[in-house]
């Protein structure tokens, strides 16, 4: 019998949870706990960390987990590394459901960097309106350039003072090209800092930047250990031995 653990928190993870529930597979959906009001799932849900590699390994053993699916955000590197190690310790099969990264189009003006600190250095010294589309846990280094007028967008309101003055938008995606164009024009955005998350849900800001001719400082994905990786929910279902096309 299969008992799967979904390490989730992404739109792809929610799609997978729906397919797994529809197929009648025993599974648990795990949220990392960063979002205060996570979306409801059609599976039993747990919220919070596991306590590192050993904690995750203990959970896999205690709960009789037979398959682990890493469907976390492409930049949730620590959780993904922990999953690789814990699955190796417990001999639990692991698969990563990870959307393809965005690729630069000919009309894009990207400055590709490897990390947040390099992204800070890539911003101009002259004051500018900057849209930081990188998540709240990564914004602190930008306090090194307080001359900029920053716009931030979070799913939840900040629960602690920000490290610099900023205009905060509280909103949950996905966002449309029309809404992103309107936001950037209204706020006079001149620079965008983004992580290469890939997928369609967060792509509108990249398309809007292209339309407006704005430079994007694009942070590359972190390097992760070798693991089985797929980009489609149907591939995960096949790995589990089930069809995602029930009723077809």
């Amino acid at each position: 019998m299969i008992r799967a653990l979904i390490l989730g928190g992404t739109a792809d993870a929610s799609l997978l949870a729906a397919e797994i529930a529809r197929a009648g597979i025993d599974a648990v959906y795990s949220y990392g706990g960063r979002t205060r009001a996570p979306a409801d799932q059609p599976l039993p849900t747990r919220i919070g960390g596991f306590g590192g590699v050993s904690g995750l390994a203990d959970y896999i053993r205690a709960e009789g987990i037979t398959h682990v699916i890493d469907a976390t955000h492409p930049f949730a590197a620590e959780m993904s590394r922990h999953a690789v190690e814990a699955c190796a310790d417990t001999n639990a099969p692991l698969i990563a459901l990870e959307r393809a990264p965005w690729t630069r189009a000919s009309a894009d003006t990207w400055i590709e960097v490897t990390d947040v600190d390099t992204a800070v250095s890539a911003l101009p010294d002259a004051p500018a309106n900057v849209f930081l589309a990188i998540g709240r846990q990564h914004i602190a280094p930008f306090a090194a350039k307080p001359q900029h007028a920053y716009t931030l967008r979070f799913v939840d309101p900040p629960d602690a003072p920000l490290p610099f003055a900023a205009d905060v938008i509280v909103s949950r995606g996905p966002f449309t090209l029309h809404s992103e164009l309107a936001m950037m024009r209204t706020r006079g955005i001149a620079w965008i800092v983004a992580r290469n998350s890939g997928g369609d849900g967060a792509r509108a800001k990249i398309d809007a930047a292209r339309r407006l001719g704005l430079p994007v400082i694009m942070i590359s994905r972190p390097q992760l250990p070798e693991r089985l990786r797929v980009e489609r929910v149907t591939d995960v279902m096949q790995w589990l031995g089930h069809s995602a096309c029930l009723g077809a």
Side-chain angles (χ1 to χ4, degrees):
M1 295 293 292
I2 292 175
R3 180 165 168 76
L5 171 63
I6 302 173
L7 304 174
T10 61
D12 290 335
S14 294
L15 292 174
L16 175 63
E19 292 296 346
I20 283 180
R22 191 175 296 118
I25 299 173
D26 185 14
V28 178
Y29 188 106
S30 178
Y31 277 110
R34 293 190 182 278
T35 302
R36 294 179 204 165
D40 291 336
Q41 299 297 335
L43 297 171
T45 301
R46 68 174 301 280
I47 299 176
F50 292 93
V53 175
S54 61
L56 177 55
D58 289 345
Y59 182 88
I60 290 171
R61 294 188 186 98
E63 294 295 323
I65 300 298
T66 63
H67 295 70
V68 179
I69 303 134
D70 179 3
T72 58
H73 192 278
F75 282 79
E78 183 177 58
M79 186 69 254
S80 294
R81 293 186 183 110
H82 287 179
V84 170
E85 293 185 44
C87 287
D89 288 347
T90 58
N91 293 316
L94 170 68
I95 192 170
L97 175 60
E98 183 181 270
R99 55 204 177 206
W102 298 313
T103 55
R104 182 204 298 254
S106 58
D108 287 323
T109 304
W110 286 9
I111 301 170
E112 296 184 77
V113 299
T114 57
D115 53 39
V116 171
D117 290 337
T118 312
V120 175
S121 299
L123 282 174
D125 291 329
N129 294 339
V130 179
F131 177 34
L132 292 185
I134 59 173
R136 75 179 68 199
Q137 65 269 32
H138 303 292
I139 65 172
F142 290 90
K145 289 193 172 179
Q147 68 270 33
H148 298 308
Y150 292 106
T151 293
L152 312 177
R153 185 164 61 199
F154 300 145
V155 173
D156 301 311
D159 52 8
L162 298 175
F164 48 79
D167 183 10
V168 177
I169 302 171
V170 178
S171 184
R172 186 188 295 268
F175 302 99
T176 66
L177 174 60
H178 175 77
S179 67
E180 295 291 64
L181 286 169
M183 183 273 290
M184 293 178 191
R185 285 170 172 152
T186 299
R187 298 168 189 276
I189 300 298
W191 287 78
I192 298 167
V193 182
R195 299 178 295 175
N196 196 334
S197 302
D200 296 327
R203 184 183 178 85
K205 61 179 175 285
I206 306 303
D207 294 336
R210 181 186 306 130
R211 181 79 63 88
L212 297 173
L214 300 179
V216 177
I217 299 174
M218 185 67 75
I219 303 172
S220 300
R221 292 183 179 183
Q223 294 296 314
L224 294 173
E226 188 67 26
R227 63 211 169 128
L228 178 61
R229 176 188 167 277
V230 296
E231 297 178 1
R232 302 181 304 169
V233 168
T234 52
D235 294 330
V236 177
M237 298 301 291
Q238 290 172 5
W239 179 74
L240 290 170
H242 287 257
S243 172
C245 303
L246 301 179

